[in-house]
Amino acid sequence: MIKFQGNHILSVSQFDRESIAKILDVAAQMMPYASRQKRCHVLDGAILNNLFFEPSTRTRVSFGCAFNLLGGFVRETVGEENSSLSKGESLYDTAQVISGYSDIIAMRHPQMHSVAKFAEGSTVPVINGGDGANEHPTQALLDLFTIRSEMSRFEKGIDNLDVVLMGDLKHGRTVHSLSKLLSLYNNVKVTMVAPDALQMPDNVISTLENAGHKVVLTDKIAGNLACDVIYQTRIQQERFASKEEANLYRGHFSLNKQVYEQYCKDHTVIMHPLPRDSRPEANELDVDLNDLDNLAIFRQAQNGVLVRMALFALALGVEDKLTDYEKPITWATNK
Ligand code: CP
């Protein structure tokens, strides 16, 4: 198992199965705090600096809520234009300064490998919240948590999973990280549904194939969705040269109730890292699926809080002290 305390979390390549099991188990222990049955103040006085140099809703807010739920304080910088990076300051200098103000840092940045570069200058643990089209390790961990939890309803696990990854697999960092994590499990079949120009990078495909898994590449939905989990993704317009180029691929892999009923199994669970592009020309995951029990997208987003709480607890070495720092909830809550 890897050493978590004091270390950065930059890539899923850091993890083995034992380390992932530890993260998911600590995440499950966070349930009473995230669902407001109890409070936990084990990180009372600690400071998270949340640096988001690229747009985000879920990752940024759930990192902040996760830290608050463990009793810590959160400081945020949103947008490069609001930081001295826009005056030419280097990632290294920024890291030296911000880590002096913090106990831990979460960061998103549009350039690949930028978070690792930043971490070289940091004196405290740095967690990668997404670095360009490269990786999104915390999303992949919450995706695995979700797969484990959703599949348990059907007495299935991550081993022997039959999963479809669909959409913009070239630029989608979440599917890169998730595929690498899935490669650590046994007998996984991954069907990659994407236009040729947006297929999964070769290095991700070989990671799965070299681990002995079956990989199917296709540009067709018909006949390819009878699986355990469909993981739909958005056309990542921000990674294309122009909106017009991104438009060429929008709307080709829309998933709606009719497609689901025609091609999926009764137990097929739908996941999506979100945001989903609900504009009519894209409509990649139709709102007519919203009442489907197997639509897991919002449960998946909620699981992000649990997994990020677990990563903070492990990186700051408090995962065994949670119950010593519990308090009752004093307000009325609908959780
Ligand atoms: N899944 C995800 O990364 O969402 P945000 O871009 O809203 O953080």
Side-chain angles (χ1 to χ4, degrees), residues 31-38 302 329-335:
M31 209 82 83
Y33 315 125
S35 63
R36 312 295 202 276
Q37 292 163 39
K38 298 171 189 172
Q302 292 303 317
I329 293 286
T330 52
W331 61 93
T333 171
N334 287 336
K335 295 278 174 194

mmCIF file with all atom_site columns, all heavy atoms in Angstrom, residues 31-38 302 329-335:
data_model
loop_
_atom_site.group_PDB
_atom_site.id
_atom_site.type_symbol
_atom_site.label_atom_id
_atom_site.label_alt_id
_atom_site.label_comp_id
_atom_site.label_asym_id
_atom_site.label_entity_id
_atom_site.label_seq_id
_atom_site.pdbx_PDB_ins_code
_atom_site.Cartn_x
_atom_site.Cartn_y
_atom_site.Cartn_z
_atom_site.occupancy
_atom_site.B_iso_or_equiv
_atom_site.pdbx_formal_charge
_atom_site.auth_seq_id
_atom_site.auth_comp_id
_atom_site.auth_asym_id
_atom_site.auth_atom_id
_atom_site.pdbx_PDB_model_num
ATOM 1   N N   . MET A 1 31  ? -19.634 8.641  5.598  1.00 0.00 ? 31  MET A N   1
ATOM 2   C CA  . MET A 1 31  ? -21.064 8.760  5.336  1.00 0.00 ? 31  MET A CA  1
ATOM 3   C C   . MET A 1 31  ? -21.835 9.477  6.460  1.00 0.00 ? 31  MET A C   1
ATOM 4   O O   . MET A 1 31  ? -22.634 10.379 6.166  1.00 0.00 ? 31  MET A O   1
ATOM 5   C CB  . MET A 1 31  ? -21.639 7.358  5.120  1.00 0.00 ? 31  MET A CB  1
ATOM 6   C CG  . MET A 1 31  ? -22.825 7.290  4.211  1.00 0.00 ? 31  MET A CG  1
ATOM 7   S SD  . MET A 1 31  ? -22.357 7.263  2.489  1.00 0.00 ? 31  MET A SD  1
ATOM 8   C CE  . MET A 1 31  ? -21.980 5.532  2.250  1.00 0.00 ? 31  MET A CE  1
ATOM 9   N N   . PRO A 1 32  ? -21.633 9.133  7.751  1.00 0.00 ? 32  PRO A N   1
ATOM 10  C CA  . PRO A 1 32  ? -22.424 9.813  8.797  1.00 0.00 ? 32  PRO A CA  1
ATOM 11  C C   . PRO A 1 32  ? -22.175 11.320 8.850  1.00 0.00 ? 32  PRO A C   1
ATOM 12  O O   . PRO A 1 32  ? -23.079 12.083 9.211  1.00 0.00 ? 32  PRO A O   1
ATOM 13  C CB  . PRO A 1 32  ? -21.939 9.161  10.103 1.00 0.00 ? 32  PRO A CB  1
ATOM 14  C CG  . PRO A 1 32  ? -21.158 7.969  9.720  1.00 0.00 ? 32  PRO A CG  1
ATOM 15  C CD  . PRO A 1 32  ? -20.730 8.123  8.297  1.00 0.00 ? 32  PRO A CD  1
ATOM 16  N N   . TYR A 1 33  ? -20.961 11.741 8.478  1.00 0.00 ? 33  TYR A N   1
ATOM 17  C CA  . TYR A 1 33  ? -20.644 13.184 8.528  1.00 0.00 ? 33  TYR A CA  1
ATOM 18  C C   . TYR A 1 33  ? -21.221 13.885 7.291  1.00 0.00 ? 33  TYR A C   1
ATOM 19  O O   . TYR A 1 33  ? -21.798 14.959 7.387  1.00 0.00 ? 33  TYR A O   1
ATOM 20  C CB  . TYR A 1 33  ? -19.131 13.406 8.615  1.00 0.00 ? 33  TYR A CB  1
ATOM 21  C CG  . TYR A 1 33  ? -18.460 12.500 9.623  1.00 0.00 ? 33  TYR A CG  1
ATOM 22  C CD1 . TYR A 1 33  ? -17.399 11.671 9.262  1.00 0.00 ? 33  TYR A CD1 1
ATOM 23  C CD2 . TYR A 1 33  ? -18.911 12.438 10.944 1.00 0.00 ? 33  TYR A CD2 1
ATOM 24  C CE1 . TYR A 1 33  ? -16.798 10.830 10.178 1.00 0.00 ? 33  TYR A CE1 1
ATOM 25  C CE2 . TYR A 1 33  ? -18.326 11.588 11.867 1.00 0.00 ? 33  TYR A CE2 1
ATOM 26  C CZ  . TYR A 1 33  ? -17.268 10.780 11.474 1.00 0.00 ? 33  TYR A CZ  1
ATOM 27  O OH  . TYR A 1 33  ? -16.689 9.931  12.380 1.00 0.00 ? 33  TYR A OH  1
ATOM 28  N N   . ALA A 1 34  ? -21.056 13.258 6.128  1.00 0.00 ? 34  ALA A N   1
ATOM 29  C CA  . ALA A 1 34  ? -21.570 13.880 4.900  1.00 0.00 ? 34  ALA A CA  1
ATOM 30  C C   . ALA A 1 34  ? -23.088 13.920 4.899  1.00 0.00 ? 34  ALA A C   1
ATOM 31  O O   . ALA A 1 34  ? -23.680 14.838 4.334  1.00 0.00 ? 34  ALA A O   1
ATOM 32  C CB  . ALA A 1 34  ? -21.053 13.108 3.682  1.00 0.00 ? 34  ALA A CB  1
ATOM 33  N N   . SER A 1 35  ? -23.722 12.935 5.570  1.00 0.00 ? 35  SER A N   1
ATOM 34  C CA  . SER A 1 35  ? -25.194 12.917 5.600  1.00 0.00 ? 35  SER A CA  1
ATOM 35  C C   . SER A 1 35  ? -25.730 13.600 6.852  1.00 0.00 ? 35  SER A C   1
ATOM 36  O O   . SER A 1 35  ? -26.921 13.494 7.163  1.00 0.00 ? 35  SER A O   1
ATOM 37  C CB  . SER A 1 35  ? -25.705 11.483 5.499  1.00 0.00 ? 35  SER A CB  1
ATOM 38  O OG  . SER A 1 35  ? -25.261 10.749 6.626  1.00 0.00 ? 35  SER A OG  1
ATOM 39  N N   . ARG A 1 36  ? -24.862 14.304 7.558  1.00 0.00 ? 36  ARG A N   1
ATOM 40  C CA  . ARG A 1 36  ? -25.225 15.156 8.706  1.00 0.00 ? 36  ARG A CA  1
ATOM 41  C C   . ARG A 1 36  ? -25.887 14.394 9.863  1.00 0.00 ? 36  ARG A C   1
ATOM 42  O O   . ARG A 1 36  ? -26.688 14.953 10.595 1.00 0.00 ? 36  ARG A O   1
ATOM 43  C CB  . ARG A 1 36  ? -26.165 16.300 8.282  1.00 0.00 ? 36  ARG A CB  1
ATOM 44  C CG  . ARG A 1 36  ? -25.758 17.065 7.073  1.00 0.00 ? 36  ARG A CG  1
ATOM 45  C CD  . ARG A 1 36  ? -24.470 17.845 7.253  1.00 0.00 ? 36  ARG A CD  1
ATOM 46  N NE  . ARG A 1 36  ? -24.422 18.913 6.285  1.00 0.00 ? 36  ARG A NE  1
ATOM 47  C CZ  . ARG A 1 36  ? -23.994 18.779 5.019  1.00 0.00 ? 36  ARG A CZ  1
ATOM 48  N NH1 . ARG A 1 36  ? -23.526 17.619 4.612  1.00 0.00 ? 36  ARG A NH1 1
ATOM 49  N NH2 . ARG A 1 36  ? -24.008 19.808 4.209  1.00 0.00 ? 36  ARG A NH2 1
ATOM 50  N N   . GLN A 1 37  ? -25.524 13.107 10.011 1.00 0.00 ? 37  GLN A N   1
ATOM 51  C CA  . GLN A 1 37  ? -25.981 12.425 11.235 1.00 0.00 ? 37  GLN A CA  1
ATOM 52  C C   . GLN A 1 37  ? -25.125 12.859 12.417 1.00 0.00 ? 37  GLN A C   1
ATOM 53  O O   . GLN A 1 37  ? -25.556 12.853 13.561 1.00 0.00 ? 37  GLN A O   1
ATOM 54  C CB  . GLN A 1 37  ? -25.886 10.910 11.064 1.00 0.00 ? 37  GLN A CB  1
ATOM 55  C CG  . GLN A 1 37  ? -26.869 10.335 10.054 1.00 0.00 ? 37  GLN A CG  1
ATOM 56  C CD  . GLN A 1 37  ? -26.465 8.947  9.614  1.00 0.00 ? 37  GLN A CD  1
ATOM 57  O OE1 . GLN A 1 37  ? -26.005 8.141  10.402 1.00 0.00 ? 37  GLN A OE1 1
ATOM 58  N NE2 . GLN A 1 37  ? -26.595 8.684  8.332  1.00 0.00 ? 37  GLN A NE2 1
ATOM 59  N N   . LYS A 1 38  ? -23.865 13.190 12.118 1.00 0.00 ? 38  LYS A N   1
ATOM 60  C CA  . LYS A 1 38  ? -22.908 13.649 13.142 1.00 0.00 ? 38  LYS A CA  1
ATOM 61  C C   . LYS A 1 38  ? -21.972 14.660 12.485 1.00 0.00 ? 38  LYS A C   1
ATOM 62  O O   . LYS A 1 38  ? -21.853 14.692 11.266 1.00 0.00 ? 38  LYS A O   1
ATOM 63  C CB  . LYS A 1 38  ? -22.012 12.485 13.601 1.00 0.00 ? 38  LYS A CB  1
ATOM 64  C CG  . LYS A 1 38  ? -22.676 11.334 14.245 1.00 0.00 ? 38  LYS A CG  1
ATOM 65  C CD  . LYS A 1 38  ? -21.648 10.215 14.399 1.00 0.00 ? 38  LYS A CD  1
ATOM 66  C CE  . LYS A 1 38  ? -22.304 8.933  14.855 1.00 0.00 ? 38  LYS A CE  1
ATOM 67  N NZ  . LYS A 1 38  ? -21.385 7.807  14.826 1.00 0.00 ? 38  LYS A NZ  1
ATOM 68  N N   . GLN A 1 302 ? -22.465 13.135 -5.533 1.00 0.00 ? 302 GLN A N   1
ATOM 69  C CA  . GLN A 1 302 ? -22.449 13.188 -4.058 1.00 0.00 ? 302 GLN A CA  1
ATOM 70  C C   . GLN A 1 302 ? -21.280 12.377 -3.499 1.00 0.00 ? 302 GLN A C   1
ATOM 71  O O   . GLN A 1 302 ? -20.685 12.753 -2.485 1.00 0.00 ? 302 GLN A O   1
ATOM 72  C CB  . GLN A 1 302 ? -23.769 12.643 -3.490 1.00 0.00 ? 302 GLN A CB  1
ATOM 73  C CG  . GLN A 1 302 ? -24.980 13.527 -3.778 1.00 0.00 ? 302 GLN A CG  1
ATOM 74  C CD  . GLN A 1 302 ? -24.814 14.946 -3.271 1.00 0.00 ? 302 GLN A CD  1
ATOM 75  O OE1 . GLN A 1 302 ? -24.340 15.171 -2.166 1.00 0.00 ? 302 GLN A OE1 1
ATOM 76  N NE2 . GLN A 1 302 ? -25.171 15.918 -4.094 1.00 0.00 ? 302 GLN A NE2 1
ATOM 77  N N   . ILE A 1 329 ? -25.137 16.910 15.706 1.00 0.00 ? 329 ILE A N   1
ATOM 78  C CA  . ILE A 1 329 ? -25.682 17.956 14.834 1.00 0.00 ? 329 ILE A CA  1
ATOM 79  C C   . ILE A 1 329 ? -26.685 18.779 15.643 1.00 0.00 ? 329 ILE A C   1
ATOM 80  O O   . ILE A 1 329 ? -27.504 18.219 16.379 1.00 0.00 ? 329 ILE A O   1
ATOM 81  C CB  . ILE A 1 329 ? -26.410 17.298 13.627 1.00 0.00 ? 329 ILE A CB  1
ATOM 82  C CG1 . ILE A 1 329 ? -25.404 16.573 12.717 1.00 0.00 ? 329 ILE A CG1 1
ATOM 83  C CG2 . ILE A 1 329 ? -27.244 18.292 12.851 1.00 0.00 ? 329 ILE A CG2 1
ATOM 84  C CD1 . ILE A 1 329 ? -24.559 17.456 11.873 1.00 0.00 ? 329 ILE A CD1 1
ATOM 85  N N   . THR A 1 330 ? -26.598 20.104 15.518 1.00 0.00 ? 330 THR A N   1
ATOM 86  C CA  . THR A 1 330 ? -27.456 20.952 16.357 1.00 0.00 ? 330 THR A CA  1
ATOM 87  C C   . THR A 1 330 ? -28.569 21.632 15.564 1.00 0.00 ? 330 THR A C   1
ATOM 88  O O   . THR A 1 330 ? -29.393 22.327 16.134 1.00 0.00 ? 330 THR A O   1
ATOM 89  C CB  . THR A 1 330 ? -26.605 22.037 17.038 1.00 0.00 ? 330 THR A CB  1
ATOM 90  O OG1 . THR A 1 330 ? -25.852 22.690 16.020 1.00 0.00 ? 330 THR A OG1 1
ATOM 91  C CG2 . THR A 1 330 ? -25.692 21.443 18.090 1.00 0.00 ? 330 THR A CG2 1
ATOM 92  N N   . TRP A 1 331 ? -28.596 21.468 14.270 1.00 0.00 ? 331 TRP A N   1
ATOM 93  C CA  . TRP A 1 331 ? -29.596 22.161 13.462 1.00 0.00 ? 331 TRP A CA  1
ATOM 94  C C   . TRP A 1 331 ? -30.511 21.145 12.778 1.00 0.00 ? 331 TRP A C   1
ATOM 95  O O   . TRP A 1 331 ? -30.175 19.964 12.667 1.00 0.00 ? 331 TRP A O   1
ATOM 96  C CB  . TRP A 1 331 ? -28.922 23.059 12.405 1.00 0.00 ? 331 TRP A CB  1
ATOM 97  C CG  . TRP A 1 331 ? -28.055 22.311 11.419 1.00 0.00 ? 331 TRP A CG  1
ATOM 98  C CD1 . TRP A 1 331 ? -28.443 21.839 10.203 1.00 0.00 ? 331 TRP A CD1 1
ATOM 99  C CD2 . TRP A 1 331 ? -26.686 21.941 11.572 1.00 0.00 ? 331 TRP A CD2 1
ATOM 100 N NE1 . TRP A 1 331 ? -27.400 21.207 9.592  1.00 0.00 ? 331 TRP A NE1 1
ATOM 101 C CE2 . TRP A 1 331 ? -26.305 21.246 10.395 1.00 0.00 ? 331 TRP A CE2 1
ATOM 102 C CE3 . TRP A 1 331 ? -25.719 22.136 12.579 1.00 0.00 ? 331 TRP A CE3 1
ATOM 103 C CZ2 . TRP A 1 331 ? -25.013 20.741 10.206 1.00 0.00 ? 331 TRP A CZ2 1
ATOM 104 C CZ3 . TRP A 1 331 ? -24.449 21.627 12.360 1.00 0.00 ? 331 TRP A CZ3 1
ATOM 105 C CH2 . TRP A 1 331 ? -24.100 20.950 11.199 1.00 0.00 ? 331 TRP A CH2 1
ATOM 106 N N   . ALA A 1 332 ? -31.686 21.632 12.311 1.00 0.00 ? 332 ALA A N   1
ATOM 107 C CA  . ALA A 1 332 ? -32.614 20.758 11.572 1.00 0.00 ? 332 ALA A CA  1
ATOM 108 C C   . ALA A 1 332 ? -32.028 20.528 10.185 1.00 0.00 ? 332 ALA A C   1
ATOM 109 O O   . ALA A 1 332 ? -31.587 21.467 9.528  1.00 0.00 ? 332 ALA A O   1
ATOM 110 C CB  . ALA A 1 332 ? -33.956 21.441 11.446 1.00 0.00 ? 332 ALA A CB  1
ATOM 111 N N   . THR A 1 333 ? -31.975 19.283 9.766  1.00 0.00 ? 333 THR A N   1
ATOM 112 C CA  . THR A 1 333 ? -31.392 18.999 8.454  1.00 0.00 ? 333 THR A CA  1
ATOM 113 C C   . THR A 1 333 ? -32.287 18.053 7.677  1.00 0.00 ? 333 THR A C   1
ATOM 114 O O   . THR A 1 333 ? -32.939 17.190 8.250  1.00 0.00 ? 333 THR A O   1
ATOM 115 C CB  . THR A 1 333 ? -29.977 18.389 8.612  1.00 0.00 ? 333 THR A CB  1
ATOM 116 O OG1 . THR A 1 333 ? -29.538 17.931 7.345  1.00 0.00 ? 333 THR A OG1 1
ATOM 117 C CG2 . THR A 1 333 ? -29.935 17.236 9.614  1.00 0.00 ? 333 THR A CG2 1
ATOM 118 N N   . ASN A 1 334 ? -32.340 18.241 6.363  1.00 0.00 ? 334 ASN A N   1
ATOM 119 C CA  . ASN A 1 334 ? -33.140 17.361 5.491  1.00 0.00 ? 334 ASN A CA  1
ATOM 120 C C   . ASN A 1 334 ? -32.310 16.235 4.911  1.00 0.00 ? 334 ASN A C   1
ATOM 121 O O   . ASN A 1 334 ? -32.765 15.524 4.027  1.00 0.00 ? 334 ASN A O   1
ATOM 122 C CB  . ASN A 1 334 ? -33.728 18.164 4.333  1.00 0.00 ? 334 ASN A CB  1
ATOM 123 C CG  . ASN A 1 334 ? -34.846 19.053 4.803  1.00 0.00 ? 334 ASN A CG  1
ATOM 124 O OD1 . ASN A 1 334 ? -35.476 18.779 5.830  1.00 0.00 ? 334 ASN A OD1 1
ATOM 125 N ND2 . ASN A 1 334 ? -35.072 20.134 4.094  1.00 0.00 ? 334 ASN A ND2 1
ATOM 126 N N   . LYS A 1 335 ? -31.070 16.094 5.353  1.00 0.00 ? 335 LYS A N   1
ATOM 127 C CA  . LYS A 1 335 ? -30.197 15.061 4.768  1.00 0.00 ? 335 LYS A CA  1
ATOM 128 C C   . LYS A 1 335 ? -30.675 13.676 5.148  1.00 0.00 ? 335 LYS A C   1
ATOM 129 O O   . LYS A 1 335 ? -31.130 13.456 6.257  1.00 0.00 ? 335 LYS A O   1
ATOM 130 C CB  . LYS A 1 335 ? -28.762 15.247 5.242  1.00 0.00 ? 335 LYS A CB  1
ATOM 131 C CG  . LYS A 1 335 ? -28.159 16.523 4.760  1.00 0.00 ? 335 LYS A CG  1
ATOM 132 C CD  . LYS A 1 335 ? -27.653 16.378 3.348  1.00 0.00 ? 335 LYS A CD  1
ATOM 133 C CE  . LYS A 1 335 ? -27.189 17.716 2.833  1.00 0.00 ? 335 LYS A CE  1
ATOM 134 N NZ  . LYS A 1 335 ? -27.004 17.704 1.393  1.00 0.00 ? 335 LYS A NZ  1
#
